[in-house]
Amino acid sequence: MTARFGVRRVVTSVVAAFFILLGLGIWFVYENLPRLPGVPKAPVVGVPAGALDHAPQAAYLGDHPRKSGRPAEYFPFPIAIGESGPVETLFSGPSTYPFLCGENKVTNLQPLVDNHNGEGIPVFALDEQGGQTDEVIGYSRDCTHATSVSYFYRSAVDGQFHPLEDANGDIDQVTVNGRTTDFVVRLETGTINRFFYAIAVLKGDGETAEKPNTSNWNKRLIYQFRGGVGVGRRQGNIGRNHIVERREDQLARGYAVVYSTANQTSNHYNIWLAEDTARRLKKQFAALYEEPLYTVGIGGSGGAIQQYLIAQNAPGVLDAAVPLYSYPDMVSQTIYVFDCEPLEYYFDVVAAGNDRWKEVSEREAIIGLATKTDFDHRFKILEEAVGLFDSRYKGTANGASECVQGWRGLVPLVNNPNFVHFSASYADPVAEKTHWTHWEDLRDFYGAGQDGYANSAWDNQGVQYGLNALKQGKIDIDEFLRLNATIGGWKEPTEQGGEKLWFMNGDVFPVELSVWSEHNMNLGGLDNPAPRSVADIEAIEGIYRSGHVFLGDVEIPIVDLRHYLEGELDMHHSLASFSSRERIRRARGHAENQLIWMSHKKYNPVDEALDIIDHWIQKIAENPERGVAGNKPVEATDRCFDKNGNVLAAGPGVWDGAWNHKPNGACMQRYPIYSTPRQMAGAPITGDVFKCALQPLERAIVKDTYGAATDQVVSRIDDMRRIFPDGVCNYNEPDVGRPKGPLFHQGGPVIIAGQPVNSDYRLAPEQIAGESEVEEEIVPTPVSAEAAPLED
């Protein structure tokens, strides 16, 4: 009896321990699964009448912003403390709705009531302690805030910033303009064009909040830009850390810093709105202080994009730029990013039986982007959890690619009108009527069809995925054909369904997860190849004309700076800097105004970049007749750094490589760049061909497009014709959607640091336009599987 009771206790304990551990395991997985944001206290509950009518409209046909003028400012800057800034923009169009108010985490105040019609978010009454009650006193449609000023000091004790009124003999000291002063920052916040703005400058001698003093300002202005991928419809948040902590080192040196949430691309990607707000914020700054000696932009990712595009579209807004983790622009990133999910779906699901693709390094021959084995990507735990229910997630590849770690999930955000990750911040009727896409965010430029949905510029008609791999013998014709027959395009917006995100959608059962969004793709097979996506030509023309594509025509000094992050499969790949350089070279005949700096991630050379910019700008101010390149300081060279800040190599040629058809330079050897799926399909490094010119298969074969694989292609010509019924890409021709001729006049002076500086073009205008050389006409030759001469 005693023994039996003892055994029963042991068994009971083991079973109990098992279920406890199982419960803990389930809890751990549950807690670590990603989720979408929930419903805030103040969601958008309504919009003005007609805001979501989605009427058809033509794509933009006006002048490029580089060519068109800007209207005179009508708002009486400066905005006084307690007053709010302009709501309607100066030139970037009427306000769009819905518009989600963000948080001013400096003041912790609600937005101002501007209507009682239920438009926008509710504004709540406050109790005696200043806390929000549940009583609604009105609504804020436009999210305006009164201008406010706060002072913060850096403590010499903990190195952190605190409200000035909390100082207790611990204010840190800095040396500016040759003298020592308290490290106290005046921080002004408010709204301009419905977006938060901030101005941060060291407190001057004897100043008041209403009348700042310039004594501790070095007369240089930093315009802070920020990144992210956004589809509009929200204001964004602002906090002290967005400007004071972020630019602490520069504030300590006497720089003034300005920033607006309109210059954060996670909130929107309308470059007109970004420029409009930048102009107005600079006016607010100058009205409070004075005109700076110069304005230098700084910011990463989408913040870098804005610098390149504003420098191109509106010379004079920025005098110099320090783009971090740059891309040339966002819209041309969609060209290759939209390839990622279909290609990964092919490897993971369609070709799952081919063990080769379980080695992620093998995929580089097709996707071009970096891969890494033994890498737990950010979707790994979600895939492992759903693998209990969906066999597609069992036995997936070991490791990941940049497509997965860097870009997965961006296509639904940019392209699916039914999905946005913050939709719970809008009442259901509002969210359901809104088209949540990048195309819709810029519908004034892309235009919209009769169905009311904005047009898309994405196209893969004639794209031969894996072409270079076929030519180099890394894949055979069977794999090439199967790959290209499987991958079609993305479905039309009217045919797309919501994303299948399981826990992130808030549903435990049924278990539905699609990390590839394959239900929104056109997929096929060799017997029935998938149809490709065909872009709207007018939409492509409109996005070029509107200045959202970086054409490379920039004159100002640029230090393009990034950490080398390929080993982390970060989306901010190094190739993008060279895409920008090649666009600049193509447009201007040289790229001597752009430096490329790359560093180990443990070292940050921003201050060195600002010092070189300062020297460069001063030389331009002293000798404007020499131009930008002619005033380039001797230390203004391409370079790369190690983790300790040592310069590994510097000077001309350090970044040479396959991208410019030269042997690898010293920096390229240390920090090699990768490629993209479109480049692996034959596209140029510039990455700006939205829609390729098509050529008949026969012409492509005669031109030796397939190299050593020509015989294989000829032997399967019937399959090729089924997959590419309209022909294949001819990347020797320019983008079909790019407007013919220059979009704006080139030449004439630009204003840098208040000085007219002559533009420096080194090719004839017809060469600068970037058109490819006209090919010698080749008469197409009939080709069939029996074409023996090509098989010899």
Side-chain angles (χ1 to χ4, degrees), residues 409-492:
L410 269 296
V411 174
L413 175 61
V414 171
N415 192 56
N416 188 345
N418 307 302
F419 171 76
V420 72
H421 58 284
F422 51 90
S423 61
S425 295
Y426 304 79
D428 289 345
V430 174
E432 290 165 4
K433 291 179 183 178
T434 303
H435 296 168
W436 300 104
T437 66
H438 159 75
W439 320 115
E440 189 71 23
D441 186 28
L442 300 185
R443 69 156 29 219
D444 287 344
F445 308 118
Y446 289 114
Q450 291 302 312
D451 58 10
Y453 286 88
N455 299 322
S456 166
W458 193 74
D459 188 288
N460 68 343
Q461 187 181 30
V463 174
Q464 301 183 84
Y465 293 108
L467 174 61
N468 288 354
L470 176 68
K471 292 168 64 175
Q472 296 166 10
K474 294 180 179 178
I475 60 173
D476 60 23
I477 190 65
D478 289 330
E479 194 80 60
F480 177 76
L481 292 171
R482 188 183 183 197
L483 173 69
N484 282 282
T486 299
I487 294 177
W490 291 92
K491 291 180 179 178
E492 294 298 316

Side-chain angles (χ1 to χ4, degrees), residues 481 526-527 529 715-724:
L481 292 171
L526 196 55
D527 293 334
S715 70
R716 303 291 295 276
I717 193 66
D718 290 338
D719 291 326
M720 290 285 289
R721 285 172 175 152
R722 280 202 314 278
I723 297 169
F724 302 106

Side-chain angles (χ1 to χ4, degrees), residues 516-669:
W516 312 281
S517 302
E518 79 280 358
H519 56 290
N520 288 325
M521 300 176 193
N522 292 319
L523 298 169
L526 196 55
D527 293 334
N528 186 25
R532 298 291 181 88
S533 288
V534 180
D536 186 283
I537 297 295
E538 292 182 356
I540 300 175
E541 291 180 348
I543 209 63
Y544 269 110
R545 291 181 186 279
S546 66
H548 284 82
V549 180
F550 182 59
L551 305 174
D553 201 333
V554 288
E555 188 72 40
I556 63 174
I558 299 168
V559 180
D560 189 301
L561 190 158
R562 66 175 66 244
H563 288 133
Y564 186 72
L565 301 175
E566 266 70 356
E568 299 178 16
L569 307 182
D570 192 281
M571 65 168 60
H572 302 104
H573 53 242
S574 307
L575 170 74
S577 294
F578 300 93
S579 296
S580 296
R581 171 161 290 187
E582 187 59 14
R583 293 191 199 186
I584 295 171
R585 187 209 60 77
R586 182 185 62 185
R588 307 175 62 77
H590 69 96
E592 293 183 16
N593 61 316
Q594 185 219 36
L595 311 182
I596 294 178
W597 286 13
M598 212 172 297
S599 169
H600 187 281
K601 69 177 183 178
K602 291 186 177 181
Y603 181 68
N604 184 358
V606 163
D607 279 332
E608 293 172 55
L610 289 172
D611 287 343
I612 281 183
I613 289 292
D614 190 64
H615 188 191
W616 203 337
I617 292 287
Q618 289 190 59
K619 291 189 67 176
I620 291 171
E622 293 168 1
N623 303 285
E625 72 283 355
R626 297 179 185 174
V628 175
N631 278 297
K632 193 173 180 179
V634 66
E635 71 272 20
T637 61
D638 287 342
R639 63 182 64 175
C640 52
F641 304 82
D642 67 12
K643 65 181 181 181
N644 297 315
N646 299 310
V647 176
L648 297 169
V654 295
W655 288 118
D656 284 346
W659 71 276
N660 65 351
H661 312 293
K662 295 181 180 180
N664 286 345
C667 288
M668 188 63 72
Q669 293 176 36

Side-chain angles (χ1 to χ4, degrees), residues 8-88:
R8 183 179 298 172
R9 288 186 61 184
V10 170
V11 171
T12 301
S13 299
V14 169
V15 171
F18 170 78
F19 280 105
I20 290 172
L21 291 173
L22 178 63
L24 288 173
I26 293 172
W27 174 83
F28 176 80
V29 171
Y30 177 83
E31 287 298 312
N32 283 276
L33 288 173
R35 289 172 177 79
L36 301 180
V39 180
K41 182 175 182 180
V44 175
V45 296
V47 297
L52 295 174
D53 286 350
H54 305 304
Q57 69 180 90
Y60 179 71
L61 293 172
D63 287 335
H64 190 280
R66 176 73 168 267
K67 184 178 180 180
S68 59
R70 307 292 188 271
E73 180 58 73
Y74 63 84
F75 190 87
F77 290 101
I79 310 163
I81 294 175
E83 301 295 326
S84 57
V87 172
E88 290 301 328

Side-chain angles (χ1 to χ4, degrees), residues 344 347-348 352 354-364 370-377 380 383-384 393-402 404 569:
E344 292 288 345
F347 295 132
D348 290 341
N354 186 342
D355 289 340
R356 174 186 181 181
W357 302 123
K358 295 190 186 304
E359 297 295 328
V360 291
S361 60
E362 293 288 335
R363 301 183 183 191
E364 284 185 18
T371 63
K372 190 174 183 180
T373 57
D374 299 318
F375 186 95
D376 288 338
H377 59 80
K380 188 68 173 177
E383 291 184 356
E384 289 176 345
Y393 296 94
K394 294 179 180 178
T396 54
N398 179 33
S401 68
E402 185 191 318
V404 175
L569 307 182

Side-chain angles (χ1 to χ4, degrees), residues 697-719:
L697 277 165
E698 294 84 356
R699 181 183 177 92
I701 290 170
V702 171
K703 287 168 53 185
D704 199 30
T705 299
Y706 304 97
T710 298
D711 290 351
Q712 296 182 57
V713 171
V714 170
S715 70
R716 303 291 295 276
I717 193 66
D718 290 338
D719 291 326

